[in-house]
Amino acid sequence: MFPSIQMHNTDCHCTRCNNNDQGVSRVSRRTAQRHNKRARFEAEKRSMEVDTEIIPTYQSDSVEAMDGQANSPISDAISTFDNDVFVGNDYNGDESDTTDDNDSDDNGEEDTAKIYVEEFNNEDPFAASGMPENPVHRFIALFTVLFASCYVVNKGSVVLIEFINELLKIYGQDFQLPESLAGLHKMTGFSSITKGIKRFVSCPNCHCIYEENMSVPPHCVFTNVGARSPCGLRGTIIDPMHNLFLGTPKRMMDWWADKKTIGAKEFAAMEKIAETMVLPRDYTKLTSKIGKGFPYMKADDWKSWVLVYSPVLLHGVLPFEMYNNWMNFVRACCYLIKPSITFDEVNSAHDYLEMFCKKATKLYTPTILTCNMHLHLHLHETIRDFGPMYGYWLFGFERYNGLLKHIKTNGKDSFEATYMRSFVQNAFKGDYANAVLKSSSHVPFFNILSKLSPKFTPTTTVITLSSHPFRLQSFLLASSNPHLPPKGNEPLPPLTFFLQLKKSSLMDETDYAHLLQHYKTSYDLPDLVSYQYATLTNSFVDNEITKLKFIDLLGQQYRGKNGSASCGSLVRVMFVGSDGRNTLAYAGQIQYLFTHSFTHPSNSNLHLTRMVHDHQHVFAYIKWFNTSSDRSREDDGLEFCLPTFSPDSRHCILPVHRIFLEIATARITTSRNVSKMLVIALPKKLYA
């Protein structure tokens, strides 16, 4: 992130700030300097009797109220002296750089402003009263404003508008786009996305936030959260990213390397095993970094090392007690990184961290512990006070650093407002497009708009596979309790849609036989026949399916095997044991995902409560790995399988509701030259 800039607030007595009971407003020093310059400029302007009535000015609460500025000396001067005054450019198509940053010629203190985005209070936050009724003209306006926001710089957008207007004239259309980008934003309602952005200043002592130019109390009135724990950390958020993944793993690895517990030979052997490992898409793959002794590791790299690699690679390399103690830290992390976590899991994670720290002082020396490791014991308080770690750890902030580099600015200050405007626009583009395009006649344009806004989900084309309401508890129970297996047509989470469908195709004959058997068993319909006998009876199963590119279930994305790539296709599913009581976990690989339509025959013995039947089913075709009798790694949360598949059966047809979690795998060769596959169960994501 950018280095923090110290704030220096001062009293401003200008005519704009003294209009209150105290006769003064406390603003940042930079703002006060601009107000003074603006006052001097207005005085000079009055003395020169400059007629400015022909220049339309707009007073706005937002620093980003207008996108365009007039290309004239007077307008440039006004925008330099005060951010809140903008000169419109609706009367001509020549507009300058529309990034609303202040001029950097001033050598005063930097003005670091807090940016706040108000929630939309009205019923239609994307009202576009100026949009044409003609669906084609409406799409042209929408496409232009979205395309310009993604790929065209501000001056180039004017050229794009002129080009489109010329095309409209050539083809005899009675519609023209506004000549300026600001006018286009206003007509399409695109400017309403960022209308709630405001600037704020903060107190340099207590960091209390005040809206810029508002009256502030004469002294700090902010009340700090009192300390309630022995070391006074309660009420302070501990960043889990730095605490868990950038601190302890590196500390322990440096210790093991310095003490020659792990040497070059061990690093090379670990790298060889790491090359055989298959990881989910959300985890960083480590190969050469392991062999080189973990150089230049980032937080994502350490996260993958802790959760996926270390349980496999450190076994047999570290002494037995050191490895077991390290696994206490791994088990704690598996609990803590979950987006949804129970209080029992929070307590269990705290117990594991406490055992890890206490045992470390005995296995190593007391100096192994750092202040960062002490903070492990306060993470449970942070989660109880502020919720799961996904809400505040810095992974999201760090990833946005890459986005910051690609936001175009004019090299001036007030970057915060420019960034926030771009961020909010990208976040709400999909909702905006849905609000503007509501007619079914716009369906042909949806594919193009989805490329301009990745989050664009056409509401008119969402396929609802169930007429029953989605219930989270029932969905979670379907994956964890195999005694109540779903049929495949039960409701899926709303965020699963819009499904990424491929073209319809005919199912392989071998796979189709298992699908037919699945329906016979699930619906208790032994008289169902193949599609080949469809002319003889209505109790048949069609062989036409529609494959899916992937499916997202509560934030966890699954996809079929794509050639040699297996990322996202390895899963674990719960089954009932042969005794009918025990629950067993099986590992498998999704070959493909598909939807299939099956309507229950009208003459069946279907129970009356199931008279309303949802015909669309969502399945995964899964091949199951052969099990192994080796249970030596169960205490570490790992299991052995054979790297071969068992014969296909009706169990290969699996409703996606039953997928329990995603796994990683590693190939291990035993001392007897037997090849085995080690399965690493990963924390289940639940964005509920």
Side-chain angles (χ1 to χ4, degrees):
M1 303 299 288
F2 295 99
S4 59
I5 306 173
Q6 185 179 4
M7 282 290 302
H8 297 282
N9 292 348
T10 185
D11 293 337
C12 182
H13 300 270
C14 72
T15 57
R16 186 174 183 177
C17 295
N18 64 5
N19 189 20
N20 53 55
D21 296 338
Q22 300 176 0
V24 64
S25 292
R26 191 162 184 81
V27 299
S28 63
R29 184 175 299 177
R30 174 76 172 185
T31 301
Q33 291 172 346
R34 291 201 310 271
H35 287 187
N36 291 334
K37 288 183 178 181
R38 180 174 180 270
R40 291 196 300 270
F41 172 78
E42 290 180 346
E44 293 176 1
K45 187 170 61 173
R46 286 192 297 269
S47 64
M48 296 172 62
E49 296 182 351
V50 177
D51 186 7
T52 60
E53 293 181 356
I54 62 172
I55 304 177
T57 60
Y58 297 84
Q59 186 73 19
S60 172
D61 293 334
S62 170
V63 71
E64 298 293 328
M66 289 289 292
D67 287 334
Q69 295 178 2
N71 190 12
S72 66
I74 295 179
S75 63
D76 289 342
I78 294 177
S79 62
T80 300
F81 296 141
D82 188 37
N83 267 23
D84 297 317
V85 178
F86 298 92
V87 178
N89 193 30
D90 292 340
Y91 298 107
N92 59 71
D94 183 19
E95 69 177 15
S96 60
D97 191 349
T98 59
T99 304
D100 305 341
D101 298 338
N102 298 323
D103 202 335
S104 57
D105 295 337
D106 194 357
N107 295 324
E109 294 291 337
E110 294 288 338
D111 176 19
T112 57
K114 304 292 184 181
I115 305 299
Y116 173 75
V117 182
E118 291 182 339
E119 295 183 356
F120 297 113
N121 295 323
N122 56 337
E123 295 182 359
D124 187 5
F126 307 111
S129 57
M131 287 287 274
E133 294 298 329
N134 186 304
V136 176
H137 296 167
R138 180 177 285 252
F139 166 73
I140 291 174
L142 178 63
F143 172 82
T144 305
V145 73
L146 291 180
F147 187 85
S149 68
C150 293
Y151 303 112
V152 184
V153 296
N154 296 316
K155 292 183 178 179
S157 61
V158 178
V159 179
L160 175 64
I161 292 173
E162 291 179 355
F163 171 74
I164 294 176
N165 284 338
E166 287 299 322
L167 288 180
L168 291 171
K169 290 179 182 178
I170 292 174
Y171 287 96
Q173 299 295 311
D174 58 349
F175 169 70
Q176 291 282 286
L177 296 174
E179 295 181 352
S180 68
L181 184 61
L184 181 64
H185 283 179
K186 183 177 180 180
M187 184 196 77
T188 58
F190 193 70
S191 58
S192 63
I193 298 178
T194 56
K195 66 181 179 181
I197 296 180
K198 295 183 179 181
R199 293 176 59 88
F200 288 76
V201 296
S202 61
C203 173
N205 299 321
C206 65
H207 307 291
C208 190
I209 304 300
Y210 299 96
E211 187 173 348
E212 194 172 52
N213 300 325
M214 70 176 290
S215 299
V216 298
H219 55 81
C220 291
V221 295
F222 186 80
T223 304
N224 292 317
V225 178
R228 290 181 289 166
S229 60
C231 57
L233 287 175
R234 194 65 178 266
T236 300
I237 291 182
I238 302 170
D239 171 41
M241 185 192 78
H242 288 85
N243 181 248
L244 292 176
F245 299 120
L246 282 177
T248 300
K250 186 178 187 304
R251 172 73 171 171
M252 300 307 299
M253 184 55 65
D254 289 343
W255 183 280
W256 294 329
D258 292 342
K259 301 300 180 182
K260 305 301 181 183
T261 305
I262 302 178
K265 181 179 178 181
E266 287 77 14
F267 282 129
M270 290 193 298
E271 180 182 355
K272 188 175 181 180
I273 298 175
E275 291 174 350
T276 69
M277 298 182 67
V278 179
L279 275 66
R281 302 173 66 89
D282 294 339
Y283 292 84
T284 305
K285 190 170 180 60
L286 305 177
T287 50
S288 59
K289 286 187 176 181
I290 295 177
K292 295 177 181 179
F294 300 88
Y296 310 110
M297 294 280 284
K298 299 180 180 179
D300 262 338
D301 299 333
W302 284 118
K303 177 185 172 186
S304 294
W305 164 253
V306 171
L307 300 176
V308 185
Y309 287 96
S310 68
V312 177
L313 303 182
L314 291 180
H315 186 265
V317 175
L318 291 179
F320 180 75
E321 289 190 348
M322 287 186 179
Y323 176 79
N324 284 345
N325 189 51
W326 171 253
M327 288 304 297
N328 287 330
F329 180 77
V330 174
R331 295 185 190 102
C333 291
C334 288
Y335 280 126
L336 294 175
I337 70 164
K338 297 169 65 174
S340 300
I341 186 171
T342 65
F343 286 113
D344 290 339
E345 291 172 334
V346 172
N347 294 333
S348 297
H350 177 73
D351 293 340
Y352 281 128
L353 289 174
E354 191 172 28
M355 286 189 290
F356 168 74
C357 293
K358 288 182 177 179
K359 191 67 174 178
T361 60
K362 299 178 181 179
L363 293 175
Y364 308 98
T365 63
T367 57
I368 189 69
L369 296 180
T370 62
C371 294
N372 181 72
M373 297 170 74
H374 167 75
L375 293 179
H376 293 339
L377 305 183
H378 292 281
L379 282 174
H380 71 294
E381 297 173 345
T382 297
I383 296 176
R384 287 180 178 275
D385 290 343
F386 301 102
M389 293 180 173
Y390 266 68
Y392 46 84
W393 67 3
L394 294 183
F395 275 112
F397 293 93
E398 295 291 342
R399 289 186 179 121
Y400 277 122
N401 282 343
L403 298 179
L404 291 174
K405 296 186 295 186
H406 298 293
I407 295 179
K408 294 179 174 21
T409 66
N410 58 7
K412 302 174 183 178
D413 62 356
S414 291
F415 171 79
E416 305 92 342
T418 303
Y419 167 68
M420 182 56 67
R421 183 182 62 178
S422 177
F423 178 85
V424 172
Q425 285 178 351
N426 290 332
F428 289 102
K429 278 180 182 177
D431 296 331
Y432 163 74
N434 269 327
V436 174
L437 300 184
K438 297 180 179 180
S439 173
S440 59
S441 59
H442 292 126
V443 171
F445 307 132
F446 288 162
N447 185 42
I448 298 177
L449 293 179
S450 63
K451 297 177 181 179
L452 297 177
S453 177
K455 297 182 180 180
F456 174 62
T457 303
T459 54
T460 57
T461 60
V462 169
I463 302 175
T464 303
L465 299 185
S466 176
S467 60
H468 302 290
F470 172 75
R471 291 183 174 87
L472 177 62
Q473 192 61 34
S474 300
F475 180 79
L476 297 178
L477 195 62
S479 63
S480 59
N481 186 0
H483 294 277
L484 300 172
K487 294 178 173 58
N489 63 340
E490 289 78 6
L492 290 171
L495 294 180
T496 300
F497 307 101
F498 168 69
L499 293 177
Q500 299 294 317
L501 303 175
K502 298 181 180 179
K503 292 183 179 180
S504 298
S505 60
L506 299 181
M507 196 173 191
D508 179 80
E509 289 296 327
T510 304
D511 298 350
Y512 171 78
H514 304 314
L515 178 65
L516 177 61
Q517 189 60 35
H518 167 80
Y519 281 125
K520 287 183 177 181
T521 306
S522 298
Y523 286 98
D524 192 19
L525 295 173
D527 296 332
L528 279 178
V529 298
S530 170
Y531 67 94
Q532 298 170 345
Y533 304 99
T535 57
L536 303 178
T537 177
N538 63 343
S539 298
F540 72 95
V541 176
D542 194 8
N543 67 333
E544 183 177 349
I545 62 174
T546 304
K547 292 185 178 181
L548 307 177
K549 297 179 181 179
F550 62 87
I551 192 168
D552 189 292
L553 301 175
L554 295 179
Q556 186 70 64
Q557 192 175 106
Y558 303 97
R559 61 184 64 232
K561 179 184 177 183
N562 183 16
S564 59
S566 301
C567 297
S569 65
L570 299 173
V571 296
R572 170 178 281 184
V573 179
M574 310 304 293
F575 283 92
V576 178
S578 57
D579 59 359
R581 295 190 303 271
N582 294 334
T583 299
L584 304 176
Y586 284 82
Q589 184 177 52
I590 300 174
Q591 303 302 302
Y592 57 89
L593 297 154
F594 67 97
T595 64
H596 182 263
S597 178
F598 171 71
T599 302
H600 196 285
S602 59
N603 60 348
S604 68
N605 295 323
L606 189 64
H607 194 273
L608 292 178
T609 57
R610 292 287 297 167
M611 288 303 292
V612 178
H613 178 76
D614 298 311
H615 61 92
Q616 288 286 0
H617 297 65
V618 187
F619 295 115
Y621 192 93
I622 301 179
K623 288 182 175 290
W624 304 102
F625 292 106
N626 286 308
T627 59
S628 173
S629 58
D630 190 346
R631 300 288 185 267
S632 60
R633 302 296 303 276
E634 281 188 346
D635 292 340
D636 300 330
L638 310 175
E639 66 171 294
F640 278 109
C641 291
L642 299 180
T644 56
F645 294 117
S646 60
D648 290 1
S649 67
R650 70 175 180 86
H651 296 295
C652 294
I653 305 295
L654 188 88
V656 295
H657 312 65
R658 292 191 57 188
I659 299 176
F660 187 56
L661 49 80
E662 202 168 18
I663 60 174
T665 60
R667 296 291 184 96
I668 304 293
T669 303
T670 64
S671 57
R672 298 183 179 181
N673 201 29
V674 177
S675 179
K676 293 185 178 181
M677 188 173 70
L678 199 58
V679 175
I680 308 103
L682 300 174
K684 186 174 184 177
K685 290 184 178 180
L686 291 177
Y687 294 99

